[in-house]
Amino acid sequence: MLDILGQDIMYLSGVGPKKKEILNRELNIHTWRDLLEYYPYKYVDRSRIYAISELAADMPFVQIKGRILSFDEYEMGRNKKRVVAHFTDGQGIVDLVWFSGAQYIYKTYKLGTEYIVFGKPTVYGGRYQFAHPDMDDAASLQLSEMGMQPYYITTERMKKAGLTSRGVEKMTKTLIGKLPETLPETLPPYITAPLHLVSRRDALRQIHYPKNVQEMQEARLRLKFEELFYVQLNILRYARDHRRRYRGYIFGHVGNLFNEFYYHHLSFALTAAQKRVIREIRGDMGTGRQMNRLLQGDVGSGKTLVALMSMLIALDNGFQACIMAPTEILAEQHYHTIQSFLQGMDVQVELLTGIVKGKRREQTLERLAKGEVQILVGTHAVIEDPVRFARLGMAVVDEQHRFGVAQRAKLWAKSENPPHILVMTATPIPRTLAMTLYGDLDVSVIDELPPGRKPVQTLHKFDTQLTSLYQGIRQQVDQGRQVYIVFPLIEESEKTDLKNLEAGYASLCEIFPDYRLSKVHGKMKSKEKEEEMRRFVSGETQILVATTVIEVGVNVPNASVMVILDAQRFGLSQLHQLRGRVGRGADQSYCILVTNYKLAEDTRKRIDIMCDTNDGFRIAEADLKLRGPGDLEGTQQSGIAFDLKIADIARDGQLVQMARDEAQKIIDNDPNCDSETYRMLWDRLKELRKSDVNWSAIS
């Protein structure tokens, strides 16, 4: 049976070499199985025929049954004709209209033959008409077979070759007709029976040709669950193998450095969430297995402090630690933060980035190799070949999604055994996505802000209100505060009406002649950027005009206002990250989202969510539902693709959890993956791993 589904798509009746080439290129369909797993994106109910007298202009797609009475032609300019067929069901008359393909129309549709016409009714000249309707010979079309008509996504190139949605539907119908009564199962009865899942064959038939909504839902449930189950089974199998294979350094005690810092140098109380996370990390480090933990925490929640205290545990056990950040600005921020925390303590901390050169770099590398540098803070420079640790026991990676897999692997190789790993992210990741993105990591969450922080007040303004907005900025600056103004573009583009930074900066200099302004964008040289940032951080300039390069790694407690121009062009997670640049001091801070009046529904929802909540996890959940996982901050840049053909991580959260629970039972019952009871599952997983399924969703 599997050989039948593995046949080249060219050998399916009605395809041939030309259509094969288009299907290969446009949809990556090469075999019968690929076509069978190319699922419809929507359905239209075709189980009912309407009388012409029942039609209304606001109806969706409907079908009527009758005969063509006559044809008329109307000239539409040079070599163009509009063909109109007058169509009756015996009680009323409608017009069927085509604006091209006259020869095909006359050749295909005959007077007196009974047809079923399917399309959207509109009113023109006082009569209902259907433009370019679907038409089938009523004698060859059994109404009882029709049910829900599937619709398939197609491309312009496919349509030109006659491969419309209807064309794909006909190919799929031919293929389903060739399937035997039973197909080899891919899920065993001990999973399908308790969950009331239909068989694979029924699911594949019903997904393409459901007789009703219930059949369609049953098919979708079965196919979605199967996809998610094997993704989760693979993740959990990988995580178990990883834990079994890699032994971690045992950090058996919390010593002098940790205790000295905690009792004598920490000038404020840890939050309950920070204490809980430190306990989880301490537990991992003492088990003898390598820690592999994801630390999620909103902007300003105190992740760096937790990372520092974790690194001090490594130091207390005779090991070195490092922290790797994606940008020089963020690395320097971590370096200065850690130095200020450890002031007065005998802990050697050094910075290693692209700007650390010459004698200072040589000395840092030499002292690191001797074990004299205890904490190294840096960018990807940390993983370069000349960098050698005496005894690396812990590595912290900030915003992991900005580093490639190969880069992270080079860091792990800096130690005799893999070091304990703490991955930090300020981009809150919804639980269902984290289970798939970072399924092999244990997850810790800092879900509260330090006491004394006032929530940032978020306001929505239209671009006609800029005059009053600028007046508010003057009041804040006159009180000694600083302001960010963010533009989405650097230079003007003919294709967009967005404000651009260069013109905006010049204009703002005229609007605020009494203040000093800085300008930062991605096309500036590193030195220029660093200098402009330094001026703003030190308070030399009051207003920073920037693109989204300031999204990560800028800590200016005195900044109290974030203005985001053309906010409709930003995603929710990005808006939330930008908002996190303010609200870091004790003063009330504001985030102003500026848009035009014409907003799409999704955009209005994004703006409303930002104004309603400061909760990064609520925002991330909303972003996931609005945009999908592939567009989320971090997932797209890192090349993570789920290759899910029917399941949706955003909308199928309960199914993700159900699939994970079932997969966990299998792992618990068969930790070595060799039980005959689960042979079908392990064989299927191997089959999927050999196919073109992209398993890179695993961290």
Side-chain angles (χ1 to χ4, degrees):
M1 180 60 239
L2 289 175
D3 288 336
I4 290 177
L5 292 184
Q7 283 195 79
D8 194 310
I9 193 67
M10 181 172 75
Y11 301 115
L12 182 67
S13 176
V15 180
K18 284 188 179 176
K19 287 183 179 176
K20 168 197 169 166
E21 188 268 329
I22 292 170
L23 288 168
N24 287 178
R25 184 181 297 182
E26 299 296 299
L27 299 180
N28 201 26
I29 290 176
H30 298 270
T31 65
W32 290 14
R33 183 182 295 102
D34 294 336
L35 179 61
L36 204 55
E37 293 178 355
Y38 188 66
Y39 303 124
Y41 74 96
K42 72 170 185 177
Y43 303 85
V44 172
D45 187 356
R46 293 199 61 179
S47 59
R48 179 183 170 187
I49 287 179
Y50 286 80
I52 289 174
S53 59
E54 294 179 285
L55 297 182
D58 59 352
M59 276 182 163
F61 285 75
V62 298
Q63 56 190 359
I64 56 176
K65 186 178 180 181
R67 292 177 169 82
I68 296 173
L69 296 172
S70 61
F71 288 101
D72 277 326
E73 268 185 22
Y74 300 91
E75 296 293 332
M76 293 176 58
R78 191 177 175 187
N79 298 327
K80 284 194 174 181
K81 292 178 181 177
R82 173 165 59 99
V83 177
V84 178
H86 306 296
F87 187 88
T88 182
D89 64 355
Q91 297 183 16
I93 296 176
V94 297
D95 289 340
L96 313 180
V97 184
W98 295 269
F99 296 96
S100 60
Q103 282 185 311
Y104 174 82
I105 303 304
Y106 293 134
K107 183 181 173 184
T108 307
Y109 304 125
K110 307 299 180 187
L111 301 182
T113 302
E114 192 172 44
Y115 294 104
I116 290 178
V117 171
F118 178 72
K120 184 172 185 353
T122 56
V123 178
Y124 180 77
R127 184 183 282 186
Y128 285 106
Q129 68 172 27
F130 290 78
H132 291 272
D134 282 347
M135 293 182 65
D136 292 285
D137 189 322
S140 65
L141 196 65
Q142 293 297 319
L143 193 61
S144 60
E145 291 176 4
M146 293 178 64
M148 313 284 288
Q149 181 174 352
Y151 276 73
Y152 300 85
I153 292 172
T154 56
T155 66
E156 284 305 313
R157 188 160 180 248
M158 289 174 67
K159 288 170 187 168
K160 286 176 184 174
L163 281 171
T164 58
S165 172
R166 197 67 187 274
V168 175
E169 181 195 340
K170 285 175 180 173
M171 286 192 304
T172 308
K173 192 169 190 176
T174 301
L175 175 53
I176 287 175
K178 291 180 178 295
L179 296 182
E181 282 305 308
T182 58
L183 276 179
E185 257 301 346
T186 47
L187 288 174
Y190 52 77
I191 290 180
T192 57
L195 298 177
H196 307 289
L197 300 176
V198 298
S199 71
R200 181 164 174 77
R201 192 202 185 284
D202 285 349
L204 288 170
R205 181 192 63 77
Q206 289 172 205
I207 197 68
H208 292 287
Y209 290 101
K211 290 189 174 68
N212 49 49
V213 173
Q214 184 182 342
E215 279 201 357
M216 181 262 289
Q217 289 174 339
E218 287 174 351
R220 288 174 69 82
L221 176 65
R222 156 66 200 239
L223 296 170
K224 284 181 176 188
F225 175 84
E226 182 174 335
E227 269 190 343
L228 294 168
F229 171 77
Y230 279 108
V231 168
Q232 294 299 333
L233 186 64
N234 191 64
I235 288 169
L236 293 172
R237 180 199 61 82
Y238 173 89
R240 190 218 55 230
D241 286 352
H242 181 91
R243 290 185 180 121
R244 193 168 55 180
R245 188 177 301 133
Y246 296 113
R247 304 302 298 166
Y249 296 116
I250 297 177
F251 295 165
H253 70 285
V254 173
N256 294 335
L257 291 175
F258 183 96
N259 288 321
E260 183 188 345
F261 175 75
Y262 184 64
Y263 292 109
H264 304 295
H265 291 265
L266 193 57
S267 57
F268 51 86
L270 295 175
T271 64
Q274 285 174 312
K275 289 178 181 177
R276 183 188 71 243
V277 171
I278 291 170
R279 281 196 300 272
E280 289 167 351
I281 291 169
R282 280 180 59 185
D284 283 353
M285 289 175 164
T287 60
R289 69 176 178 85
Q290 184 214 9
M291 178 175 75
N292 220 13
R293 186 167 286 277
L294 171 69
L295 175 56
Q296 291 194 72
D298 227 331
V299 175
S301 61
K303 294 185 300 297
T304 305
L305 177 57
V306 168
L308 170 60
M309 295 179 73
S310 306
M311 289 190 286
L312 289 176
I313 295 173
L315 269 56
D316 275 334
N317 285 270
F319 286 83
Q320 295 164 291
C322 74
I323 180 166
M324 188 165 75
T327 65
E328 289 186 354
I329 292 174
L330 190 50
E332 283 199 45
Q333 181 183 313
H334 282 317
Y335 175 66
H336 293 306
T337 301
I338 288 170
Q339 277 200 318
S340 65
F341 272 135
L342 296 176
Q343 196 168 4
M345 288 183 64
D346 186 21
V347 177
Q348 300 301 306
V349 185
E350 285 293 346
L351 177 70
L352 191 68
T353 66
I355 59 172
V356 178
K357 293 188 170 78
K359 195 166 185 181
R360 183 185 168 190
R361 191 181 191 87
E362 285 176 26
Q363 288 176 342
T364 298
L365 293 177
E366 189 178 321
R367 293 177 60 230
L368 186 71
K370 288 179 180 177
E372 294 170 9
V373 173
Q374 293 162 285
I375 296 177
L376 183 68
V377 183
T379 54
H380 60 274
V382 168
I383 60 175
E384 291 171 359
D385 290 339
V387 180
R388 287 183 165 75
F389 292 85
R391 208 178 183 206
L392 178 63
M394 180 174 184
V396 179
V397 183
D398 199 5
E399 300 298 344
Q400 170 181 250
H401 62 260
R402 298 187 178 224
F403 296 99
V405 175
Q407 286 177 308
R408 299 199 301 267
K410 285 182 80 171
L411 180 57
W412 302 176
K414 295 284 180 186
S415 181
E416 187 179 338
N417 284 339
H420 291 296
I421 305 301
L422 183 66
V423 174
M424 300 196 300
T425 181
T427 305
I429 302 167
R431 190 164 180 274
T432 53
L433 183 58
M435 273 195 283
T436 309
L437 257 183
Y438 298 114
D440 58 325
L441 300 183
D442 297 309
V443 179
S444 291
V445 178
I446 302 179
D447 50 11
E448 60 181 309
L449 292 177
R453 288 277 179 92
K454 293 178 182 174
V456 177
Q457 192 175 338
T458 304
L459 306 169
H460 177 206
K461 300 287 184 185
F462 293 110
D463 47 17
T464 53
Q465 300 171 291
L466 287 177
T467 303
S468 63
L469 173 60
Y470 292 149
Q471 188 55 41
I473 288 174
R474 284 190 186 91
Q475 288 175 1
Q476 288 288 311
V477 176
D478 289 344
Q479 290 171 22
R481 313 279 180 263
Q482 288 169 278
V483 177
Y484 297 99
I485 300 179
V486 175
F487 286 82
L489 291 181
I490 297 170
E491 294 165 352
E492 192 164 6
S493 163
E494 292 178 5
K495 294 181 180 178
T496 178
D497 61 351
L498 295 189
K499 302 168 186 67
N500 62 87
L501 186 139
E502 294 294 359
Y505 178 74
S507 175
L508 288 166
C509 287
E510 292 177 9
I511 292 167
F512 300 110
D514 301 332
Y515 305 143
R516 295 183 299 281
L517 282 70
S518 289
K519 176 177 68 176
V520 175
H521 59 73
K523 288 189 177 178
M524 292 169 69
K525 291 179 181 175
S526 288
K527 280 189 178 178
E528 290 178 289
K529 207 188 304 180
E530 298 285 337
E531 176 56 23
E532 290 291 291
M533 286 302 311
R534 186 199 63 73
R535 291 174 63 219
F536 186 67
V537 170
S538 67
E540 288 177 39
T541 54
Q542 289 93 31
I543 299 174
L544 177 62
V545 183
T547 56
T548 55
V549 293
I550 59 147
E551 183 185 340
V552 173
V554 183
N555 185 21
V556 184
N558 192 47
S560 64
V561 180
M562 166 65 70
V563 178
I564 305 172
L565 299 170
D566 287 308
Q568 71 271 15
R569 301 289 176 168
F570 297 86
L572 265 174
S573 290
Q574 201 170 32
L575 289 172
H576 183 60
Q577 286 289 318
L578 287 166
R579 176 168 63 183
R581 298 304 106 208
V582 295
R584 291 169 166 254
D587 301 306
Q588 178 62 57
S589 292
Y590 304 89
C591 177
I592 317 296
L593 307 176
V594 182
T595 71
N596 55 32
Y597 272 99
K598 294 180 182 177
L599 295 179
E601 187 61 30
D602 276 2
T603 307
R604 197 172 290 281
K605 282 181 186 173
R606 285 206 304 273
I607 301 296
D608 289 346
I609 289 163
M610 285 296 297
C611 293
D612 288 346
T613 183
N614 283 287
D615 185 334
F617 287 94
R618 268 189 64 195
I619 287 166
E621 286 282 2
D623 205 17
L624 185 61
K625 285 176 181 171
L626 285 171
R627 295 204 289 163
D631 293 327
L632 274 190
E633 183 65 21
T635 61
Q636 199 168 55
Q637 294 92 316
S638 59
I640 289 167
F642 293 102
D643 286 330
L644 296 177
K645 292 173 179 168
I646 191 167
D648 184 323
I649 297 288
R651 293 170 178 82
D652 296 324
Q654 284 184 308
L655 264 184
V656 173
Q657 186 62 60
M658 188 195 300
R660 191 174 183 84
D661 290 345
E662 291 299 319
Q664 189 64 60
K665 288 180 197 172
I666 306 302
I667 294 293
D668 291 343
N669 293 336
D670 186 16
N672 297 318
C673 310
D674 56 7
S675 167
E676 278 304 314
T677 307
Y678 305 110
R679 177 60 46 209
M680 174 196 285
L681 300 178
W682 302 126
D683 287 347
R684 177 63 175 161
L685 192 58
K686 280 181 195 170
E687 198 178 290
L688 288 169
R689 290 180 65 83
K690 285 177 188 172
S691 71
D692 60 356
V693 174
N694 183 349
W695 294 98
S696 64
I698 299 166
S699 165

